[in-house]
Every structure is written in structure tokens, then in C-alpha cells.
Amino acid sequence: MKKLLYITKIGVAALAVVCSSCEKQLDQLPLSNTIVANDGKGTAGSSITDAAKAEAAISACYGVFRNSAATYYVMDYFLVGDGQSDNSYAGADNPSWFEVDEFRMQSTNERASINWGFLYNHISTANSIIANVPKITDAALTATRKSQIVGEAKFMRARAYFDLIRIYGDVPLVVDELPTITPDNLEEIYPQLYPRRTPVSEVYTQIIKDLNEAATTVPANGPNKMTVTPGVVYTLLAKVYATQKPVNWSLVKENCDKVIALGYSLVPSFESLWDGAHENSSEAIFELNFDGWETGGNWGSDMFYGTGWKKFNTPSNDLVKAYDDEGDAVRKASTIHFMDVTGKWNDKYWSNSYARFPFAAKMRNTSGSQNIIMYRLADVLLLKAEALNESGDTEGARALVNQIRQRVSLGPTPATNQSSMRLAIEKERRLELAFEGHRWFDLVRTDRAIPVMKAVKDGAGNNLNYPISENKLLWPVPQSEMDKNSQLTQNTGY
């Protein structure tokens, strides 16, 4: 009875998961996030019954990127991908991020709990669409549009699960809505409400299944780049195959080639990707569009850029040195801006440089209207170069790396063999994609995180001695989730 009372209490609070963007929905919810409706009947998504409600539901699913899970997608994703890598320090004044940055996380870390919740929120929203849209009989919803909506939701579910397993490892795999919860079926449904962690290999199987089904059904294009199209799906598939062990490099290349064949092209100027005047460009594959505060503004820019207060993701001495060592003035100028913060705050990593303090600058418009490029062609080209090199075609890889370097006025890569090309591609991805949320995941998937992070030095050349180990490559399962679900187990080392 205590179980039933708990579920009933949280049910009313989470009813609007599909057709509105409610914040912090998973603070109290079991992982399935499938809840009894106000009248005691149906599931959270059972209100999706006609064409208009289906469109509202998929709009809400896109809206999660900008509203109910915006803390993850406009801020935390970049701290996860860059802040715990050698690209930046945590910055600002949040103890939870200091723990991430310095590999001191505990299971009670606030960010571990928050981001687990945000990602499952997105999954729940997608699950409701996938479960209910196929049932709609409204003639206004054509079969084609119905398939598109389901395909778009499957992409978003796959993307959220991909981040979950990269951050936490094994996670509960929840893909179904549950029937109405009653005293009679509670014992049957309870294991599904509070599931065990699913092995990463099985989650990958679901991710790939979702993406393969989405690739043939999503819209060919949209009003802007914030539409899940085949190019978006193939990009994620390439990333998934490059991360899944053992890596199937032929499938990485195959999906990169599918993206390239769709006609994306590098913009001539690297700076135009970030200046706000060339958004939804020919290079962008998937881009979160922000118009301003009235429609869910991009407040993430203000978290990384500006001198009003100490910002997050402070560029590291190591990254600045990497640009300087390469003579990469073009990308450095677009990626890092230096400003005078004398008298404003202290910083242990840049203690003697307050007149020239660095800021991550790819999101620099703090009016709330700057878009976020999640996937772009340069990333795909370098991923294809990696696939070619790992398959023995070092010359093919060289051509792609040089294409990227040529845009920023750098000469050909000096790499001469597979091993040196491997490091050249790693470096090129770092300098090209810094502060786009890729670096940490690149280091982990290539088994380079530990040696790279153990070698990081401060501005004076002293080793920072990060206490990184194999156990620290994953975050802990949040203690708050373990307290709610006794079936969960903790990652080794926490």
C-alpha cells in the first residue's frame, strides 16, 4: 500500500509530461515516468489522440532541448564534454562541478542526479509519442506524417540513451508506457516501475534499432536545422558505431558517407559558425534554434561568456597552449576570447593573468538568441578520417584532415603513418570542436582519457596530478535514484 500511495502522489504532479514542458519532472519519479492520469485512467501519453495533439507532443519533445531539460542541453552537456577534459576547468563557483572537474565525484553529487533526471525526462516524453501516435485514427494525421513523428521521437530517445550510457554506463532501459496502475496489477507492474540497470550492450542494441527505424521515416528537411532529418540520424549512428566496442569502422564510414552524400558543405569562414549572422548554415546538420527569451532563450551563453561574474568552462592553459603550438590563430580567436577581469575574482589556474582572462567564446551572444550547433559536417569529416585511418587508408584520412586544416589557413598535417595520423586526428578534433561537448567523449571512446588527463599541466608547466582512474571514466549512479529504486546498483569505485 505504501508503494501505491507513493505512485499516486507523484502521478498528479507529472501528468503534463507530454504536452507541456514541466521542469524537474524526475525529481520524484520512478524511472519509467509513466503515471496515472488525473481521472485514474490511462497513461501520461494517452491524451495524444488526434493530429493536433500529436503535433503538440512532438513539438514538446523538441522543446525539451530548450525548456524542461535546458539545463542539460544548453549548459551541462558542454561541461560534461569539455569541463572534465583537458579543454577547460570547471570555472564559476559550483562545488558539484569542481568535483567533476577534479575527478572527486560522489554518488550524492548534485549534477549526477540532475542530469540523470533531465535525460530520462526526454526519454519519457519520446516514449509517450512512440506508444500513442501509431494508435491515432484521425484522418488529418497522414500515415507519412505519423511515421515522421514517431521517427523523430525515436531519434530523441536514442540520443538521450546514448548520453546516459556514455556518462553512467549500464542504465535502466525503459521503452514502453505502462497500463493504468491499480491495486490489482501493482505487483506485476512494480518491477517495471523500478527496473534494474540494463547492460550497455543491450542499450546499444535499442539505440541502433531506434536510429535505423528513424532514418527511413524522418522528414527529408525542415524549416530550419532544428529538425530531425536523415542527416541528423546518420550522424548519430556514426558516433554510436565509433563508440560501441568493438568499433565497427566500416559502419562508421558508411554512415559518415550517407551524411556527406546529402550535400552539406563547410562554410568558408570558421568564424561565421559562431558570429550569429550565419545560423542554420550549410555546415550545420542539427542546430538548436533560439529566438529570444519569449520562446525559451539560450541562457547557456551567459553561463560561459561575460565578465559580470565568474563563468563556467574556463579554457585551460593546456588548450591555449595547444592552439599556440599548432599556430592555429584562426580557431583560437573564434574559440577563446580574452578579457580583463582585474579585481573581479580569483582563479587558481590563471592567478597571474587577470588582465587577460580566457572565456569559451563559441556561444558569445548573451541576449538569449544564439543557436547551438549540436552536429556539423566538420565533425563528420574528421570521424570519417578516423574510420579510414583505422581501416588502413591513411592517405584518405590525410585528405580529409587537410581539408579541415585548409579552411583555417594551416598547412598539411605532418602525420606520416597510422599511429601518427591517429594522434593528428585526435588533435584536429580537439582544436576544431573545442567547447562543442565532444572532447571528453572522444578521449574515453579512444581509450585516451587516462593518459591524456594524467599528463595535463598548469600554466607554469606543473602536472595537475588529476586522480583519474578506470573507475572515474563513468559518473556514479545518483544516490537519490538508488534511494528510490532498490534494484539499482552502484558503479565500481563509488
Side-chain angles (χ1 to χ4, degrees), residues 54-165:
E55 294 293 351
I58 193 62
S59 178
C61 205
Y62 278 105
V64 171
F65 285 115
R66 303 188 302 186
N67 297 308
S68 60
T71 298
Y72 179 75
Y73 288 112
V74 309
M75 178 182 170
D76 285 18
Y77 174 73
F78 302 98
L79 279 157
V80 173
D82 287 285
Q84 64 180 333
S85 79
D86 52 346
N87 277 359
S88 62
Y89 314 115
D93 59 358
N94 187 302
S96 293
W97 281 119
F98 295 157
E99 291 177 10
V100 175
D101 179 21
E102 298 167 3
F103 302 100
R104 298 185 288 106
M105 288 188 77
Q106 301 295 322
S107 63
T108 53
N109 183 280
E110 177 187 41
R111 305 322 299 180
S113 177
I114 287 173
N115 290 316
W116 176 286
F118 281 141
L119 287 165
Y120 271 108
N121 172 41
H122 211 173
I123 289 165
S124 173
T125 308
N127 281 348
S128 294
I129 294 169
I130 295 165
N132 291 282
V133 168
K135 303 173 186 176
I136 295 175
T137 58
D138 183 358
L141 186 65
T142 66
T144 297
R145 181 57 186 146
K146 186 183 294 186
S147 295
Q148 288 176 344
I149 290 172
V150 172
E152 291 168 275
K154 285 183 176 180
F155 164 82
M156 286 184 260
R157 179 169 72 182
R159 192 193 186 288
Y161 270 123
F162 186 45
D163 280 7
L164 278 168
I165 60 175

Side-chain angles (χ1 to χ4, degrees), residues 30 142 187 255 267 340 360 388 468:
T142 66
E187 291 302 320
N255 283 281
V267 297
D340 191 344
L388 291 174
I468 187 172

Side-chain angles (χ1 to χ4, degrees), residues 257-334:
D257 283 339
K258 288 179 178 179
V259 176
I260 294 166
L262 290 170
Y264 300 100
S265 60
L266 297 178
V267 297
S269 167
F270 185 77
E271 167 64 12
S272 67
L273 289 165
W274 322 110
D275 65 5
H278 304 84
E279 293 178 331
N280 294 292
S281 71
S282 62
E283 184 168 340
I285 299 170
F286 190 50
E287 186 166 325
L288 305 186
N289 278 250
F290 295 89
D291 300 318
W293 302 119
E294 296 78 10
T295 55
N298 178 10
W299 52 266
S301 298
D302 197 51
M303 298 295 105
F304 303 123
Y305 191 81
T307 61
W309 51 275
K310 191 175 183 181
K311 305 297 179 174
F312 292 95
N313 251 3
T314 301
S316 68
N317 288 276
D318 193 86
L319 179 62
V320 172
K321 183 176 185 298
Y323 281 114
D324 291 342
D325 288 349
E326 193 65 17
D328 192 353
V330 173
R331 287 184 295 201
K332 178 184 176 183
S334 293

Side-chain angles (χ1 to χ4, degrees), residues 87-89 91 310 313-321 324 332 336 338 341 345-359 457-460:
N87 277 359
S88 62
Y89 314 115
K310 191 175 183 181
N313 251 3
T314 301
S316 68
N317 288 276
D318 193 86
L319 179 62
V320 172
K321 183 176 185 298
D324 291 342
K332 178 184 176 183
I336 304 172
F338 294 87
V341 298
W345 59 71
N346 295 320
D347 188 275
K348 67 178 181 179
Y349 299 109
W350 292 94
S351 57
N352 298 316
S353 306
Y354 297 125
R356 194 169 180 270
F357 193 85
F359 295 85
K457 296 179 173 59
D458 65 14

Side-chain angles (χ1 to χ4, degrees), residues 169-189:
D170 297 347
V171 295
L173 180 61
V174 181
V175 296
D176 298 315
E177 281 206 322
L178 302 180
T180 300
I181 302 168
T182 69
D184 293 333
N185 67 9
L186 178 59
E187 291 302 320
E188 175 187 351
I189 292 175

Side-chain angles (χ1 to χ4, degrees), residues 396-441:
R398 183 194 313 282
L400 291 172
V401 171
N402 287 342
Q403 182 182 354
I404 299 299
R405 291 172 63 83
Q406 183 178 17
R407 174 169 64 172
V408 294
S409 302
L410 292 177
T413 175
T416 58
N417 53 41
Q418 187 184 54
S419 59
S420 61
M421 182 62 72
R422 188 175 291 134
L423 293 176
I425 293 169
E426 177 185 294
K427 178 175 63 177
E428 207 62 36
R429 287 186 63 82
R430 183 188 191 189
L431 301 180
E432 176 74 20
L433 303 171
F435 303 120
E436 297 178 53
H438 299 291
R439 176 63 170 173
W440 173 253
F441 296 124

